[in-house]
Amino acid sequence: MENAALTEEKVGQMPPAATAERHIKRYMPFTYKTMIPYLILVLLTDIVIGYISYTMLIDSRTQMAETTIRTTMEQGRNNMVYQMDEIQRMSDTLFGSLPFQRALQMKDDPLHVYWTMLDEIVPQIQSPLQLYGNNIRLILYVTNDELNYVTGDDLAKPIGGDDYYILPFKEMAASDWYASYRESGRDNDWLQIDTDRQLENISHLRKLVSYSDYSTIIGYVRITARLDDLLGSFGAFPVEEGIALRLLDSSAGSVLFERGDAGRGKANYLSLREDIPDTTLVMETLVPSAYLTKDASRLRKAIVAVCLLSFLVMAGIGLIVARLSGRKMGKIVTLVRSFEEGNFQKRIRFSGNDEFVRIADAFNVMAANIQDLINSVYVEGMQKKQAELEALQAQINPHFLFNTLSTISSLANLGETQKATVMIQRLSRFYRLTLNKGHVFIKLEKELEQVETYLNIQRVKYADAFAVYIDVVPDVLHVQVIKLILQPFVENIFKHAWFADAITIRITGHRIDGKVELKVIDDGIGMTPEQVKRIMQGPSHAGGYGVKNVDERIKLRYGGEYGVYIHSIHGAGTTVQIVLPASGEPSGEAE
C-alpha cells in the first residue's frame, strides 16, 4: 500500500503532458493493436488462396483449350494437305503427259482436231474430276486457236459441282490479274485470282510448256477449289464464341480466308498457327481470352464471394470485440478530437480503477493546463499586436505633422499669412479625419476625403502644378479600411517622385476576386528595381518609411495575403498597389 501511494504521489508530481504521454503508450488497448493485423492476415490469406486457385484453373483451361484446338487444326491441315496433294497430282499428270501436250499443239483440219480433243484432252480432264471427292473446277487456257472451246458454268458464281473448261489464252491474258501474276514469276503455286477472293476459293495455277523445247508456253492449267472444302468442317471450331479460323498467304501478307472475328481490334487472344507444307500458306486460329476463361469465371466469382464473406465475418467479430473492450477508449478518442479542434472545456469522468481512469485524469489535467496557457498567450499576443499597431499608427501622424508645420513656418516667414491660415485650417480638418473619434477603421470614402484634404493642403504650396484623378467604383466606398493607408503614398509623390514642372496623380479602386484593390499611380521619376527592393525591406531616404509602415499595418490587421506592392519603371512613373479584403474584416490568420 505504501509503494502504491508513493507511485501515485510521484505520478501527481510529474508534468501533465509527460504523464498523459506515458499512460497512452503503456495502456493502449490490446484489441486495437491485434485486430487490424489479424484482419490483414485473413485478407491476405484469402487473396493468396483465391489467386492460386484461379491461376491454376486458368492455366489448366488454357492448356486444354489449346490442345483441343491444336488437334483440330492438325486434322484440318492434314485434310487440306491431302486434297492439295490430289490437286497437285492432277496438275503433274497434265503437265507430264506427252499425248496431252501433242493434242494441245495439234493444228489440222477441224474434224481431226475435234476427234483428237475427244480422245486425248477431254478424257484426261474428266478422269481426275470423277476421282476427286469434292467439287472443283478445272480450267485449261490454251494458246492453240484451232482447238474447240468449252465454256462451262459461269465462273463468277460459286462452285456447284465438278466442271471443266477449255478457254482461249487471250481471255486469260486480257484479265486484270494476269499482269501482276506474270510479274510475280510464280508458277505451280496456290493463289487467289480473278473471282476467287469474292467466292472464297483458291486456285492452283501452272503453265504448260512444249515437250520439244520445254520453254514454249502452250497453255495454263488452273484448278479451283472451295476453301471450305479444303479446310474441312467447322463444327470443331465454335465460331459463335469468338474463335476465328484464317488462311494466310505469308509471302503476300494477306488473308485469303476467314471465319469468325476474334482478334479484330483486340489484343488479348491466343494465336495458334499451322504451316501448310511446300506452300506459303499458313492456317491460323485466334482464340479470345474470354473463351479460355469462360468456365473459370464462375469459380472466380465463387472464390471472391467466399473470400469476401470470410473477411466480413472476421471483421464483424473483430468489431464486436473492439466495441466490447474499447468503449471507454472510444470516448477518449472523441474527446481528444474535440481537443484537437480547440475545445478544452470538456472533461472525462470514468468509474473504476483501471488504465482508462488514469488516462482520463491525465487528460483532464493536461486540458486545464493547456487552456490556461492558451488564455495567457492569447491575451499577451493580442496586447502585443495592439501595441504594434498603435506604435505604427503613431509613427505616421508626427511625421506628416512635422512636414506640414515646416511648410507653414516657411509661408509665415515669406509673409504668406493668407496661405498659412488656409493650410492651418486644412491641417485641422485633416487631423479631425485622422483621429476618427479614436477608431482604427474608417470607410474608404472617408479615407479618400482625407486624401483630398491633404491635396488641398499641398495646393496651397504648389498651386495648380499637379493634377489629380480619382476613379473609385461606388460599391467599394463603404468598405472599412485602416485609416491612413493612401495619404503616405500621395505624400511620397510630392517628396520623391516630382522632378518636372508638373505631375499627374491617379487614384483607383476596384473589387477583384473578392478583394479590394487600390492603386496610387504617378508619372514621376520612378524607381529602379533595387530602389523598390530597399523600400519594401525597411525605412530609407527614398520614401520607404511610409511604405513599410502601411504594409506592416495591413499585414498585422488582415494577414499575410494582403499588403502593399510597388511596380515602377525608372523615368516613367510608379504604381503602388494596395490589396485589402472586400469585407473589411480581419482574416482568420490575422485573428
Side-chain angles (χ1 to χ4, degrees):
M1 293 297 293
E2 293 180 358
N3 293 335
L6 181 59
T7 302
E8 293 294 335
E9 182 179 357
K10 290 181 179 180
V11 171
Q13 293 175 354
M14 292 178 64
T19 304
E21 182 180 358
R22 183 174 70 87
H23 286 171
I24 290 175
K25 290 182 178 180
R26 182 178 179 181
Y27 295 106
M28 183 177 180
F30 182 74
T31 54
Y32 286 92
K33 296 198 307 184
T34 57
M35 184 182 68
I36 295 178
Y38 175 71
L39 290 178
I40 293 176
L41 179 61
V42 171
L43 180 61
L44 291 177
T45 303
D46 291 342
I47 291 175
V48 170
I49 294 176
Y51 176 77
I52 293 175
S53 302
Y54 179 73
T55 303
M56 293 177 63
L57 179 65
I58 291 298
D59 292 341
S60 175
R61 171 60 181 158
T62 303
Q63 292 177 2
M64 291 176 58
E66 182 177 352
T67 301
T68 302
I69 294 174
R70 193 175 293 278
T71 301
T72 306
M73 288 182 63
E74 291 177 355
Q75 295 175 354
R77 181 199 62 183
N78 294 336
N79 179 68
M80 185 173 183
V81 169
Y82 173 77
Q83 296 186 69
M84 292 174 70
D85 288 344
E86 289 292 321
I87 294 175
Q88 181 68 48
R89 280 191 288 271
M90 297 181 195
S91 172
D92 293 342
T93 301
L94 297 177
F95 180 83
S97 174
L98 293 179
F100 182 75
Q101 293 184 16
R102 291 192 189 97
L104 291 180
Q105 301 177 70
M106 183 176 195
K107 294 182 185 251
D108 203 341
D109 62 274
L111 182 60
H112 190 201
V113 171
Y114 175 75
W115 286 111
T116 302
M117 285 186 61
L118 292 179
D119 294 337
E120 299 293 341
I121 297 177
V122 173
Q124 294 201 48
I125 294 177
Q126 288 181 332
S127 60
L129 294 179
Q130 297 172 357
L131 296 176
Y132 189 74
N134 294 321
N135 298 326
I136 59 173
R137 285 173 177 165
L138 197 155
I139 306 172
L140 190 63
Y141 296 98
V142 295
T143 58
N144 187 357
D145 296 335
E146 296 185 10
L147 294 178
N148 297 94
Y149 301 130
V150 179
T151 57
D153 295 335
D154 188 359
L155 293 176
K157 294 182 179 180
I159 299 175
D162 295 330
D163 200 3
Y164 67 93
Y165 305 75
I166 300 176
L167 304 175
F169 171 72
K170 59 184 179 181
E171 181 177 325
M172 173 183 173
S175 62
D176 297 334
W177 58 267
Y178 178 71
S180 59
Y181 168 74
R182 183 178 59 185
E183 292 176 359
S184 67
R186 299 174 68 175
D187 185 37
N188 193 23
D189 201 358
W190 292 89
L191 65 164
Q192 283 187 326
I193 56 177
D194 202 10
T195 59
D196 286 347
R197 183 175 295 274
Q198 291 79 11
L199 300 178
E200 294 185 344
N201 298 333
I202 190 169
S203 297
H204 179 78
L205 190 63
R206 185 174 190 172
K207 62 184 176 182
L208 303 175
V209 296
S210 174
Y211 65 90
S212 59
D213 56 7
Y214 295 102
S215 61
T216 302
I217 299 176
I218 62 175
Y220 284 85
V221 60
R222 172 185 171 186
I223 305 175
T224 303
R226 294 176 51 192
L227 285 170
D228 282 348
D229 295 335
L230 293 180
L231 293 172
S233 174
F234 291 94
F237 292 91
V239 177
E240 67 281 357
E241 297 188 27
I243 294 181
L245 177 65
R246 304 196 300 184
L247 184 65
L248 311 177
D249 187 348
S250 59
S251 63
S254 60
V255 179
L256 305 182
F257 177 81
E258 182 175 5
R259 281 290 184 269
D261 60 353
R264 290 184 180 177
K266 302 177 183 178
N268 298 324
Y269 61 88
L270 175 65
S271 175
L272 303 177
R273 300 167 69 97
E274 290 286 346
D275 295 330
I276 306 300
D278 302 326
T279 67
T280 60
L281 303 180
V282 178
M283 182 188 298
E284 182 183 39
T285 301
L286 302 177
V287 186
S289 58
Y291 175 78
L292 299 176
T293 60
K294 64 175 183 177
D295 293 339
S297 61
R298 293 192 298 271
L299 182 59
R300 178 180 58 191
K301 293 178 181 178
I303 291 174
V304 171
V306 171
C307 292
L308 181 60
L309 180 61
S310 173
F311 179 76
L312 291 177
V313 170
M314 294 301 176
I317 294 174
L319 183 61
I320 293 174
V321 173
R323 284 183 175 274
L324 293 177
S325 61
R327 288 182 177 178
K328 291 184 178 180
M329 183 58 69
K331 292 182 179 180
I332 293 177
V333 171
T334 301
L335 292 173
V336 168
R337 288 178 180 173
S338 66
F339 179 46
E340 291 175 351
E341 295 171 357
N343 184 359
F344 302 99
Q345 305 298 327
K346 293 184 178 181
R347 298 294 182 266
I348 307 175
R349 294 291 182 268
F350 287 149
S351 59
N353 186 18
D354 54 15
E355 66 270 20
F356 295 105
V357 176
R358 296 188 179 184
I359 292 175
D361 293 341
F363 178 83
N364 293 337
V365 173
M366 179 179 62
N369 292 338
I370 292 178
Q371 183 65 50
D372 295 340
L373 180 61
I374 288 177
N375 292 337
S376 176
V377 173
Y378 178 76
V379 172
E380 291 178 0
M382 291 298 295
Q383 291 174 349
K384 180 180 178 182
K385 177 181 174 182
Q386 186 62 30
E388 290 177 356
L389 287 172
E390 291 176 356
L392 291 172
Q393 181 68 35
Q395 292 173 357
I396 292 291
N397 297 336
H399 183 68
F400 168 65
L401 179 61
F402 173 77
N403 293 336
T404 306
L405 292 177
S406 297
T407 303
I408 295 173
S409 175
S410 299
L411 291 174
N413 291 333
L414 295 174
E416 299 287 347
T417 57
Q418 180 63 30
K419 291 184 178 180
T421 301
V422 173
M423 184 172 284
I424 291 172
Q425 292 174 348
R426 293 176 178 177
L427 179 64
S428 174
R429 175 173 174 76
F430 176 82
Y431 271 97
R432 280 199 301 272
L433 292 171
T434 301
L435 292 175
N436 192 31
K437 299 180 181 179
H439 298 301
V440 176
F441 290 97
I442 187 173
K443 287 186 178 181
L444 180 57
E445 183 179 11
K446 290 294 183 181
E447 179 72 11
L448 293 172
E449 183 179 348
Q450 189 180 45
V451 173
E452 286 282 358
T453 304
Y454 171 78
L455 292 172
N456 290 334
I457 294 174
Q458 297 300 331
R459 286 190 178 94
V460 177
K461 180 178 180 181
Y462 297 101
D464 296 327
F466 63 90
V468 180
Y469 300 95
I470 298 178
D471 180 18
V472 179
V473 296
D475 66 338
V476 299
L477 292 175
H478 68 282
V479 175
Q480 295 282 341
V481 299
I482 302 175
K483 60 185 179 181
L484 287 177
I485 59 172
L486 291 175
Q487 182 271 337
F489 300 109
V490 178
E491 182 180 355
N492 281 337
I493 294 174
F494 288 96
K495 292 176 58 179
H496 306 288
W498 199 338
F499 71 100
D501 295 335
I503 195 169
T504 302
I505 303 171
R506 185 181 179 189
I507 301 174
T508 66
H510 300 278
R511 189 188 297 269
I512 300 177
D513 296 333
K515 299 178 182 178
V516 174
E517 180 189 75
L518 304 177
K519 289 184 179 180
V520 180
I521 308 169
D522 69 78
D523 58 355
I525 191 172
M527 294 178 287
T528 64
E530 291 76 14
Q531 290 175 317
V532 173
K533 185 177 181 180
R534 287 198 300 272
I535 286 176
M536 295 306 297
Q537 288 177 347
S540 68
H541 296 290
Y545 189 84
V547 174
K548 185 66 174 177
N549 184 294
V550 174
D551 187 55
E552 288 181 350
R553 287 194 294 134
I554 291 175
K555 283 182 167 56
L556 277 172
R557 177 61 64 178
Y558 300 115
E561 59 180 312
Y562 304 99
V564 178
Y565 307 91
I566 298 178
H567 312 277
S568 182
I569 300 177
H570 187 62
T574 302
T575 297
V576 177
Q577 181 187 22
I578 306 170
V579 181
L580 303 169
S583 63
E585 296 294 335
S587 67
E589 179 183 353
E591 285 296 311

